[in-house]
Amino acid sequence: MNKRLLLFLLPLICFLAIIPFFKSALNSDPTELESVLVGKPVPQFELQDIYELDKQHHSNIFEGEPLLLNVWATWCPTCRAEHEFLNTLAEQGVKIIGLNYKDDRGKAINWLAQLGNPYVINLYDEKGLLALDLGVYGAPETYLIDSQGIIRYRHVGDVNARNWQQELAPIFSAME
Amino acid sequence: MRVLVFLLGLISSAAFAAIDVYEFDSEQQEALFRELTQELRCPKCQNNNIADSNAGLAQDLREKTYQLVKQGNDKQQVLDYMVDRYGNFVRYDPPLTPAVLILWLSPLLVIVFGGIYLLGRNRNSSSNEPLVEEGERERLAKLIEQTERDKQ
């Protein structure tokens, strides 16, 4: 009799067991891909500063302290939406390096003048060279990089108060 | 038949219409480029390969594939280059990783374990559970005896 009852309840037990998978699938975005560069250093590059034409930056700018790398462009509406929050983060003392992705220098400088400049350094990647090496597939993207220059996390889409507090800030503050 | 060939021609020319003009050193390089752009998946527009997609990213990846092919890289080198940046997601023909293996083997496991279960159940019902219970057996024997006697 006990065996019968168990057999009868088996489908229900199976269903309960897979509920967590259903739940995680429900909340996950299939367009969000995990970066293969997590745990690896920022790729080598040589890119111009957005303001100063004769100033070249290399990957050593990512060493020293934890910071964010934010991929943005003026043609990207979501970048505009997140810009205000990036300003807030910069005011709180979070160091953000900008990667201006396949954009027009004049428009980009205008944008920073109008909306404020949250970036300590802004790289000008007209051809998307570093972006390709990073595996960027859409702007905006934000990378969390530790003081050794190792990529710890990639966030695709806008950074806002909610996902900063829930996802990014805990990782960022745990980084060394 | 002729109509069919004509229609097929229309379809194939439409399929390659998205490909920009590229010049190659040899036919092998061109064939390799075609093969790669058909097999590489666009990370932005996830259900297109980079040959069919007109997304900005797909154009960039086509251009990069062209450069790598033109530099004389073979198929595996180009695939490795892309996978290093975009992960296995970028391939429509991903390698056999443990995660993929689960996907392939799980239906087989269901069949095997299901078969074992069914076999076990059959054996149980035939051996352990007698068709007639103990008390009934005597009654049945009496009944048979009676019918045999009546026949005579």
Side-chain angles (χ1 to χ4, degrees), chain B residues 90-133:
Chain B
V90 82
R91 293 184 62 181
Y92 263 125
D93 184 14
L96 204 62
T97 58
V100 178
L101 214 60
I102 293 174
L103 206 63
W104 282 95
L105 290 183
S106 57
L108 208 68
L109 287 179
V110 167
I111 292 173
V112 168
F113 282 114
I116 290 171
Y117 171 72
L118 283 179
L119 276 177
R121 206 179 64 161
N122 271 349
R123 198 165 299 153
N124 275 347
S125 64
S126 60
S127 61
N128 290 356
E129 285 174 34
L131 281 169
V132 189
E133 280 179 29

Side-chain angles (χ1 to χ4, degrees), chain A residues 31 36 102 133 135-137, chain B residues 44 46 60 84-87:
Chain A
T31 61
V36 277
K102 300 189 77 173
D133 282 342
V136 169
Y137 65 97
Chain B
K44 185 70 202 169
Q46 302 191 339
D60 289 355
D84 280 348
R85 285 156 182 78
Y86 291 96

Side-chain angles (χ1 to χ4, degrees), chain A residues 54-170:
Chain A
D54 52 353
K55 194 169 179 182
Q56 299 284 338
H57 294 290
H58 301 88
S59 45
N60 59 12
I61 57 170
F62 290 104
E63 285 160 20
E65 56 186 319
L67 40 76
L68 303 184
L69 170 64
N70 178 248
V71 183
W72 68 283
T74 58
W75 46 260
C76 148
T78 317
C79 299
R80 196 182 186 96
E82 76 168 355
H83 199 85
E84 196 48 49
F85 188 70
L86 294 182
N87 283 335
T88 317
L89 280 184
E91 279 165 25
Q92 288 169 10
V94 177
K95 291 251 168 24
I96 310 172
I97 289 182
L99 178 66
N100 183 251
Y101 173 47
K102 300 189 77 173
D103 206 353
D104 178 85
R105 189 192 294 269
K107 280 185 191 166
I109 291 174
N110 255 342
W111 157 300
L112 293 175
Q114 276 174 17
L115 301 173
N117 183 1
Y119 305 109
V120 282
I121 296 173
N122 220 318
L123 306 165
Y124 183 58
D125 193 1
E126 189 183 10
K127 294 193 176 123
L129 299 172
L130 176 57
L132 186 80
D133 282 342
L134 280 169
V136 169
Y137 65 97
E141 283 185 20
T142 303
Y143 293 77
L144 274 59
I145 297 162
D146 71 12
S147 57
Q148 308 293 310
I150 309 286
I151 297 171
R152 289 296 168 202
Y153 191 74
R154 166 171 72 176
H155 174 78
V156 179
D158 69 321
V159 178
N160 53 43
R162 192 169 46 87
N163 59 33
W164 173 256
Q165 265 154 22
Q166 285 177 1
E167 286 172 49
L168 302 174

